[in-house]
Amino acid sequence: MTSVALCTINSSARSIARLCQVSRSAHGTADFHSFVARYSTLRKCAFLPGGKWSFIRAGTRQMSQSSPGRISLGRYGKGVFLAAGAAAVTGVLAAGVSHFQRAEMATKISKVEEEEGNIRERCKSFMSVPVTDIKVLEQRKDAMSTRMEMLIMETQAEFCRALEEVDGGSFRVDRWSRKEGGGGISCVMQDGKVFEKAGVNVSVVFGNLTEEAARQMRSRGKVLKGKDGKLPFCAMGVSSVIHPKNPHIPTVHFNYRYFEIEEADGTKQWWFGGGTDLTPVYIDLEDAAHFHKTLKEACDKHHPKYYPDFKKWCDNYFYVRHRGETRGIGGIFFDDLDSPNQEEVFHFVKSCAKTVVPCYLPIVNKHLNDSFTPEEKDWQQVRRGRWEYMHEPTKGTKEAEMLEVLRNPKEWI
């Protein structure tokens, strides 16, 4: 989800920020809304023939033979038959194609229903009813926007329940709306036994891109063809940042998002983005290995290059230049992901979203009863942004070890 497209929801976003008032990230953007990515700094990720990934700076456009950013028949693939010769032969082939496509589509729909379940039943486990009316979700249950909204609502609920169980506290749930279309659900827990602040938030917004937003997107390589000057869009994501009390329990950030634009001819451009990363105050090699291993296993289900490439992207993206260090020990990060096809990318994002509990909660449980000194608590506050001028820990200390890792990202598995 790009900051360009979401510039119109600032007033709504500010209401969430006032509610939780989480600390700001190293980039100066509220972690609470980390899913609103800084589009101008992003690089496009494209899967090239031969199994290679190419990272392309914004402003250039990588054209693929299959034009993965465009769809005309939803998420369903279709067989393409080239018929030459008599018209009668063409007609027979066309009839066969139609039959094949219907059978293929029916098979995929049944698989989706079996895997993703009944919408109304799934909604019962959420922290709130979804942003989109349940009846509307049921009517368009096979649309990617519906499937993604259900995924982010489910991710929010699973993570909130897991945190409540370990903390003993409960999340305050606040719904907000956007007059232009859509809204969000903010879940906030403060001053708990384990967590000082925890925010897990969903946004689902839609409307028409402003001309300025469309112009900036085009300048970054997006080919957008609106109708009567309008470009309908929908954008959604789940975002979280967690601040524990114990300095031996690390902070975690994650966000997963989807963006879709409908063009004049009814075709849609779409892309996914997101990631999960860990920010410890003190290095624990076992924790780091567990966290990265869990993410790698999720990535490896889809492509062997996903983890190494997205791990590197994360290290680069969260590098704080004026400090000469990364935000934490990394994880994965990606954006503008629109290949090899919508269905495969969605399932990859789903696999990543399903890791947020298993990659983080075991680490929390491990350190629940760790003792800590006032000095260690002070170091935690320093690392969260309450920086002391020219603060530099003594060589050979655990704090110095932490800084060494932040200044020189390493491979953890």
Side-chain angles (χ1 to χ4, degrees), residues 74-317:
R75 66 184 187 283
Y76 302 111
K78 62 178 180 179
V80 178
F81 293 82
L82 300 178
V89 176
T90 303
V92 170
L93 286 175
V97 173
S98 177
H99 176 75
F100 174 77
Q101 288 177 339
R102 288 196 299 269
E104 182 185 34
M105 184 176 294
T107 300
K108 290 189 175 182
I109 289 175
S110 63
K111 288 182 178 179
V112 168
E113 290 177 342
E114 179 182 350
E115 177 186 342
E116 299 180 0
N118 179 277
I119 285 179
R120 194 168 293 272
E121 286 300 312
R122 290 173 66 190
C123 289
K124 293 179 180 179
S125 65
F126 296 164
M127 300 298 289
S128 167
V129 294
V131 175
T132 303
D133 186 87
I134 293 178
K135 291 183 179 179
V136 175
L137 293 174
E138 289 179 322
Q139 290 169 359
R140 61 185 195 202
K141 60 183 177 182
D142 299 315
M144 184 53 69
S145 58
T146 294
R147 298 171 68 195
M148 187 62 180
E149 182 170 351
M150 294 297 290
L151 175 61
I152 61 179
M153 289 294 300
E154 197 165 65
T155 302
Q156 179 187 55
E158 289 175 353
F159 197 59
C160 285
R161 303 299 186 202
L163 297 186
E164 286 179 336
E165 183 177 354
V166 74
D167 184 275
S170 60
F171 278 87
R172 173 184 173 183
V173 180
D174 178 56
R175 293 176 61 88
W176 57 273
S177 61
R178 171 178 175 266
K179 65 179 182 179
E180 297 85 353
I185 299 158
S186 303
C187 295
V188 179
M189 180 166 62
Q190 297 190 78
D191 301 320
K193 295 178 181 178
V194 178
F195 303 105
E196 291 180 0
K197 295 177 182 177
V200 191
N201 309 280
V202 159
S203 287
V204 179
V205 299
F206 54 88
N208 288 301
L209 283 183
T210 64
E211 182 55 38
E212 179 185 0
R215 184 167 54 250
Q216 291 186 30
M217 284 189 177
R218 290 187 182 104
S219 73
R220 293 179 174 87
K222 298 292 183 184
V223 179
L224 305 174
K225 300 177 181 179
K227 183 177 182 180
D228 300 326
K230 294 183 178 180
L231 280 165
F233 80 93
C234 72
M236 59 190 68
V238 59
S239 172
S240 181
V241 60
I242 309 300
H243 287 309
K245 289 184 174 180
N246 193 317
H248 296 292
I249 300 177
T251 289
V252 70
H253 310 78
F254 71 82
N255 70 90
Y256 291 97
R257 54 194 180 272
Y258 174 69
F259 197 95
E260 184 179 278
I261 297 176
E262 183 175 342
E263 298 188 282
D265 61 359
T267 60
K268 295 179 180 179
Q269 289 204 48
W270 55 268
W271 55 92
F272 292 84
T276 306
D277 64 281
L278 196 69
T279 304
V281 175
Y282 292 99
I283 286 295
D284 185 303
L285 298 180
E286 185 180 65
D287 293 350
H290 166 79
F291 185 81
H292 279 269
K293 182 174 182 291
T294 305
L295 290 174
K296 183 178 185 299
E297 288 175 348
C299 291
D300 286 351
K301 294 177 183 178
H302 302 272
H303 198 284
K305 290 288 288 179
Y306 277 3
Y307 172 75
D309 287 351
F310 296 159
K311 192 267 185 187
K312 183 178 180 180
W313 198 342
C314 184
D315 289 339
N316 292 336
Y317 187 77

Side-chain angles (χ1 to χ4, degrees), residues 373-391:
T373 66
E375 291 75 21
E376 289 173 330
K377 185 65 178 179
D378 288 343
W379 175 243
Q380 181 192 53
Q381 302 307 306
V382 168
R383 294 307 309 165
R384 284 185 181 171
R386 300 175 179 87
W387 285 81
E388 299 174 20
Y389 180 68
M390 297 296 288
H391 181 89

